[in-house]
């Protein structure tokens, strides 16, 4: 028969044994903790930055600018993976299906994240649900340019003629559904004019025919048009962004020309697969914001005809959603479609 003293001694022994077990477990965790932290440190291996365009283009140049900086900062390679095709949809679908571990990042564009969903009938991803809009990078306006031999000296001159001669002016674009096409459609709606749209397979043939007088005007990137404007072969009537270009300080913005609602830019930002760790996304946001403050990076962006777009988190996702709303309305009014 056990006595109270015997029961007390048994309980004390068990307590001491449990305590020893806890101490042993804590010691084991202390040994394992550094290894566990090392395994979870990010990034611990190369990161793939998927670019929805071919090598050499503006999107590719931006991707390589980011990759070089992040490789230097992180001490692991950030590899640019060019995936052109289907207006950027091939690259976007690839990232949408990737593991949300932070090792696959998309360089998303105005097309892939805002307008393509309204131009293509059957996308196999949802830009809003399948991605985290992490960080804005660059905003690139178009220049509204006309052949230098034409008499139009201002946007008001162009609109006055177009209203008096509907369907007589031909506007070229880099292709159906491209930023240059959508900028033209938005402007026509707000200005109350109608151009004949001539789509090309890229900016180069579009600009060549504009120089040859086969078409009358276009909306295209400064990098595609600036040299011809400076040579007097094309005349810039407006910049479709919010500010004037330093290279063309005399050319007004489209808002200054009387059409504030016609502002349009081709922008680029970073997007992660949905459910990517908030800590990983935040790390990229901080580091890329630092890049956009670097004078050398800003100079490189300006040479492309762009300006930094330092929007992060909810500010950037709100911007993207506003772009979707704008381009959905524009595309529906124009009846534009790709497939």
């Amino acid at each position: 028969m056990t006595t109270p003293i015997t029961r007390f001694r048994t309980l004390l022994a068990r307590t001491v044994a449990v305590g020893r077990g806890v101490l042993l477990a804590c010691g084991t965790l202390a040994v394992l903790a550094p290894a566990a932290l090392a395994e979870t440190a990010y990034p611990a291996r190369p990161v793939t930055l998927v670019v929805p365009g071919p090598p050499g283009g503006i999107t590719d140049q931006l991707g390589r600018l980011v990759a070089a900086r992040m490789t230097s900062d992180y001490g692991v390679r950030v590899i640019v993976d060019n995936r052109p095709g289907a207006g950027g949809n091939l690259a976007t679908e690839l990232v949408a299906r990737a593991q949300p571990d932070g090792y696959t990042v998309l360089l998303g564009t105005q097309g892939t994240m805002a307008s393509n969903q309204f131009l293509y009938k059957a996308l196999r991803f949802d830009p809003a649900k399948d991605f985290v809009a992490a960080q804005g990078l660059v905003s690139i306006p178009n220049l509204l340019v006309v052949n230098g031999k034409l008499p139009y000296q201002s946007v008001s001159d162009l609109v006055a003629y177009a209203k008096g001669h509907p369907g007589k002016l031909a506007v070229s674009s880099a292709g159906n559904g491209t930023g240059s096409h959508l900028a033209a459609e938005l402007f026509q709606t707000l200005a109350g004019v109608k151009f004949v749209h001539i789509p090309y397979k890229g900016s180069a043939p579009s600009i060549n025919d504009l120089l040859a007088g086969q078409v009358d005007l276009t909306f295209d990137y400064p990098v595609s048009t600036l040299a011809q404007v400076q040579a007097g072969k094309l005349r810039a009537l407006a910049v479709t962004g919010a500010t004037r270009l330093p290279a063309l300080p005399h050319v007004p913005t489209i808002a200054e020309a009387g059409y504030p609602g016609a502002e349009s830019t081709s922008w680029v930002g970073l997007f992660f697969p949905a459910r990517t760790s908030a800590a990983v996304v935040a790390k990229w946001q901080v580091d890329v914001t630092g890049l956009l403050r670097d004078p050398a990076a800003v100079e490189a962006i300006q040479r492309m005809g762009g300006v930094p777009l330092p929007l992060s988190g909810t500010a950037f996702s709100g911007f993207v959603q506003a772009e979707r709303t704008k381009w959905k309305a524009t595309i529906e009014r124009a009846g534009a479609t790709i497939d």
Side-chain angles (χ1 to χ4, degrees), residues 206-219:
S206 167
I207 299 301
N208 286 339
D209 269 11
L210 177 59
L211 291 167
Q214 299 300 310
V215 293
D216 302 295
L217 68 146
T218 195
F219 293 74

Side-chain angles (χ1 to χ4, degrees), residues 58-59 61-66 69 107 135-141 221-223 226 245-247 266-269 288-310:
I58 292 178
T59 307
Q61 293 177 47
L62 290 170
R64 293 183 188 280
L65 181 68
V66 172
R69 174 61 175 265
L107 203 69
Q135 176 67 45
L137 282 173
V138 175
S139 175
I140 304 173
Y221 296 139
V223 72
L226 184 58
L245 292 180
S266 294
W267 48 265
V268 179
V288 173
T289 298
L291 169 66
L292 297 179
R293 292 172 179 162
D294 185 326
V298 172
E299 182 180 353
I301 290 168
Q302 289 175 342
R303 286 198 300 269
M304 300 174 200
V307 296
L309 184 66

Side-chain angles (χ1 to χ4, degrees), residues 47-70 78-85 87-96 98 102-114 116 125 127 131-140 221 266-273 284 288 291-292 301 304 309 316 320 324:
V47 178
T48 299
L49 179 61
V50 180
V51 173
I58 292 178
T59 307
D60 176 66
Q61 293 177 47
L62 290 170
R64 293 183 188 280
L65 181 68
V66 172
R69 174 61 175 265
M70 296 303 103
V78 176
I79 304 166
V80 172
D81 182 7
N82 295 94
R83 297 279 181 148
N89 293 335
L90 297 181
T92 308
E93 181 180 350
L94 174 71
V95 179
Y103 288 93
T104 307
V105 189
L106 176 69
L107 203 69
T109 67
Q110 176 264 336
T112 62
M113 287 293 138
N116 282 4
F125 60 88
F131 292 92
V132 176
Q135 176 67 45
L137 282 173
V138 175
S139 175
I140 304 173
Y221 296 139
S266 294
W267 48 265
V268 179
L270 292 174
F271 294 79
F272 288 82
W284 277 77
V288 173
L291 169 66
L292 297 179
I301 290 168
M304 300 174 200
L309 184 66
F316 183 51
V320 173
R324 289 175 182 143

Side-chain angles (χ1 to χ4, degrees), residues 244-252:
R244 296 191 182 197
L245 292 180
L248 297 172
H250 63 287
V251 177

